[in-house]
Amino acid sequence: LSTTIATASGYVTDVGYSATFTPSLSPDWLDLTTLISGYAPPARRDGFAFCELACGRGLTSAVLAATYPDGAFHVVDFMRDHIAYAASFADRAGIGNLTLHAADFATAAQLELPRFNYIVAHGAYSWIDAQAREDLRNFIDCHLAPDGLVCLSYNAMPGWTADLPLQRLVATFAQGTSGDSIVRFAAAEAALRRLSAAGVPALNGSPMFAHLLTTQRDRLPTSYFAHEYLAQAWQPLYVTDVRADLATIGLCPIGSAILANNFDAYVLRDAQRDALAEIEDDDLRELVRDCMLMTRFRCDVFSRNAVRVTERAQRREILRRRFALVLPESLVSYSMRTEAGTLRFDNPLARDIVAALSDRPRAPRQLGLPTTDLVANILALVSARIIRPVNGTDSPVDNLNEALAELDSEAIPLPFCALSCGTALRLEPALHRHLRGHGQLPRRLRAWPDFLARATRATRQDRQEDGNRVATKR
Ligand SMILES: C[S@@+](CC[C@H](N)C(=O)[O-])C[C@H]1O[C@@H](n2cnc3c(N)ncnc32)[C@H](O)[C@@H]1O
């Protein structure tokens, strides 16, 4: 017996999605993306309004709301169980500045809401049908503040090319079985494992299939894969199509929240950069760039009225914002793998920055370091995910971390710890168990407890004195 999979807007709705925290959605991360690209971030001197569309279980916005108390946070998701989960979590963590809307995008567009300085939608746009994408855009059109930023992440082409048959096979096998989406995904996976042993080039040539079989499957619950692969509307998108969609509501691309991607010198080889330099049209150049990088996931930041900043102002603003080290100093490796090879930045200044941030987050200009190459090293460290842009002030996170630690592992398979500076870190399960008083700590994780003790302590603050004022040029 086979029945249709329960979907709405082409999306799987019969089982819950697993929760996660996505650091690149934070206001400071989006501001830095904007600055790196040469534009002024939203002015948020008197607080700000932030909305996460398709928030899932709402963990990202809950952590941000708790650590950005001057922000008014809203989340929207049409799965009532997701919103109920987020509400109960916010209640337990004592978060008062998070408003939850159990609504689809079309309904939410009609709500009376603040004008948002930030609207983010992570992992939704390429999993929903054309009508839902239009509704999402309409929400943005109605509710974005004039200088607001939008961050849209989606599965992209051409990176998924070799995996298209995998998704089609999983979804079609699942459609032909019965049960909820978890049962169906498991049945489809079992069928594909058997088939692949017989020799199916379209499957065996799929990098995602190999990844799924070797590492992903043991780390993540089946509900994650059901949401990932079973949506009828699933369709990786070309950047030019997404840009054309957003142009209909007056939005222009600014940069990528995958910070390394904003620097051609990091991710492209010389010959590729030369070839790109010959293409004048921005959208075509980006499409070709995606083909060079075989991009499979994009986190695009858009704005309606982006204002250019002078190079001087850009530099000054980067130097006055706080950054946090997100791993113990002893574990930092001063290099990063990119599509262009290995980028090395092991120099005394990079080491001094890391050493200075090991105690607490600070603004680069407060580190007492030489200013030559300071911004370049900050940008290399941030692109390599060794440091993160964070809130200008700390907030207490004890209640938040208590509530996070109590979440069940089916809903949140990879545990997180919130830092007082406005972000959260994924914890290895052995470290998480140890911190909860269970089990030995493996040697390789020994530096983490001290690091986390410092990073979860709210320290007296180095305020970003002059708000978000940036000199602009038109
Ligand atoms: C893949 S999950 C991503 C969740 C979250 N952003 C994250 O990254 O963890 C996609 C979410 O979009 C929601 N969604 C899909 N279509 C929607 C619609 N038309 N209106 C509101 N929410 C929708 C689903 O309920 C689901 O929670």
Side-chain angles (χ1 to χ4, degrees), residues 9 11 17-18 20 52 54-56 77-79 82 103-105 122-124 128 132:
S9 305
Y11 191 80
Y17 189 60
S18 47
T20 187
E52 184 179 5
C55 65
D77 200 289
F78 69 0
M79 284 182 66
H82 284 175
D104 60 26
F105 306 135
H122 184 70
I128 54 178

Side-chain angles (χ1 to χ4, degrees), residues 29-65:
W29 192 300
L30 298 177
D31 284 0
L32 184 68
T33 305
T34 311
L35 276 169
I36 284 176
S37 311
Y39 295 97
R44 50 178 163 106
R45 225 164 306 148
D46 307 317
F48 64 94
F50 180 105
C51 180
E52 184 179 5
L53 297 174
C55 65
R57 293 180 194 260
L59 201 66
T60 298
S61 287
V63 169
L64 292 176

Side-chain angles (χ1 to χ4, degrees), residues 80-359:
R80 291 191 170 275
D81 288 354
H82 284 175
I83 293 297
Y85 191 95
S88 131
F89 178 76
D91 201 36
R92 264 177 291 138
I95 300 167
N97 56 337
L98 178 64
T99 309
L100 306 128
H101 306 278
D104 60 26
F105 306 135
T107 308
Q110 309 303 322
L111 296 174
E112 202 147 308
L113 295 169
R115 297 274 262 168
F116 293 110
N117 306 97
Y118 305 89
I119 298 181
V120 303
H122 184 70
Y125 204 69
S126 52
W127 284 264
I128 54 178
D129 62 23
Q131 181 61 54
R133 291 201 295 270
E134 189 182 329
D135 295 341
L136 186 150
R137 293 193 299 274
N138 190 34
F139 178 95
I140 294 171
D141 198 20
C142 295
H143 296 300
L144 187 67
D147 67 346
L149 296 177
V150 171
C151 181
L152 210 60
S153 74
Y154 53 95
N155 274 351
M157 288 295 273
W160 275 88
T161 307
D163 296 306
L164 295 179
L166 166 69
Q167 190 274 338
R168 179 56 67 101
L169 284 167
V170 172
T172 312
F173 264 106
Q175 197 68 56
T177 57
S178 56
D180 68 17
S181 294
I182 290 180
V183 174
R184 286 168 187 259
F185 177 85
E189 182 202 0
L192 294 195
R193 279 177 190 265
R194 285 194 301 275
L195 274 179
S196 107
V200 182
L203 256 189
N204 299 338
S206 153
M208 234 22 226
F209 188 54
H211 188 40
L212 191 119
L213 296 185
T214 50
T215 42
Q216 260 198 332
R217 196 67 175 95
D218 293 338
R219 297 179 65 221
L220 295 166
T222 310
S223 59
Y224 167 84
F225 298 98
H227 280 257
E228 198 65 21
Y229 289 103
L230 299 189
Q232 280 163 11
W234 185 96
Q235 187 190 7
L237 300 165
Y238 284 100
V239 60
T240 36
D241 293 341
V242 176
R243 285 184 174 189
D245 279 358
L246 294 187
T248 62
I249 52 167
L251 290 182
C252 300
I254 296 232
S256 172
I258 302 171
L259 296 174
N261 277 356
N262 295 299
F263 303 102
D264 282 356
Y266 290 177
V267 295
L268 295 170
R269 286 190 276 278
D270 290 349
Q272 293 173 315
R273 287 156 63 188
D274 291 347
L276 278 184
E278 287 174 19
I279 304 174
E280 271 177 32
D281 181 85
D282 288 345
D283 294 340
L284 175 59
R285 196 169 53 247
E286 194 64 16
L287 177 66
V288 174
R289 195 175 185 270
D290 275 351
C291 291
M292 289 172 167
L293 295 170
M294 286 303 282
T295 304
R296 56 184 307 126
F297 193 69
R298 291 186 60 101
C299 293
D300 293 348
V301 178
F302 296 85
S303 161
R304 197 173 261 154
N305 299 305
V307 177
R308 283 252 166 225
V309 289
T310 62
E311 247 176 65
R312 223 168 131 234
Q314 176 194 38
R315 192 185 143 71
R316 193 177 57 232
E317 186 68 10
I318 291 173
L319 291 178
R320 91 169 179 79
R321 286 173 172 262
R322 280 208 315 169
F323 291 84
L325 184 65
V326 291
L327 73 171
E329 186 184 355
S330 58
L331 300 181
V332 171
S333 139
Y334 294 84
S335 66
M336 143 174 74
R337 295 269 321 145
T338 76
E339 288 75 0
T342 302
L343 184 77
R344 292 179 212 286
F345 44 90
D346 192 354
N347 65 72
L349 186 52
R351 286 184 174 264
D352 286 346
I353 294 169
V354 168
L357 294 180
S358 65
D359 179 39

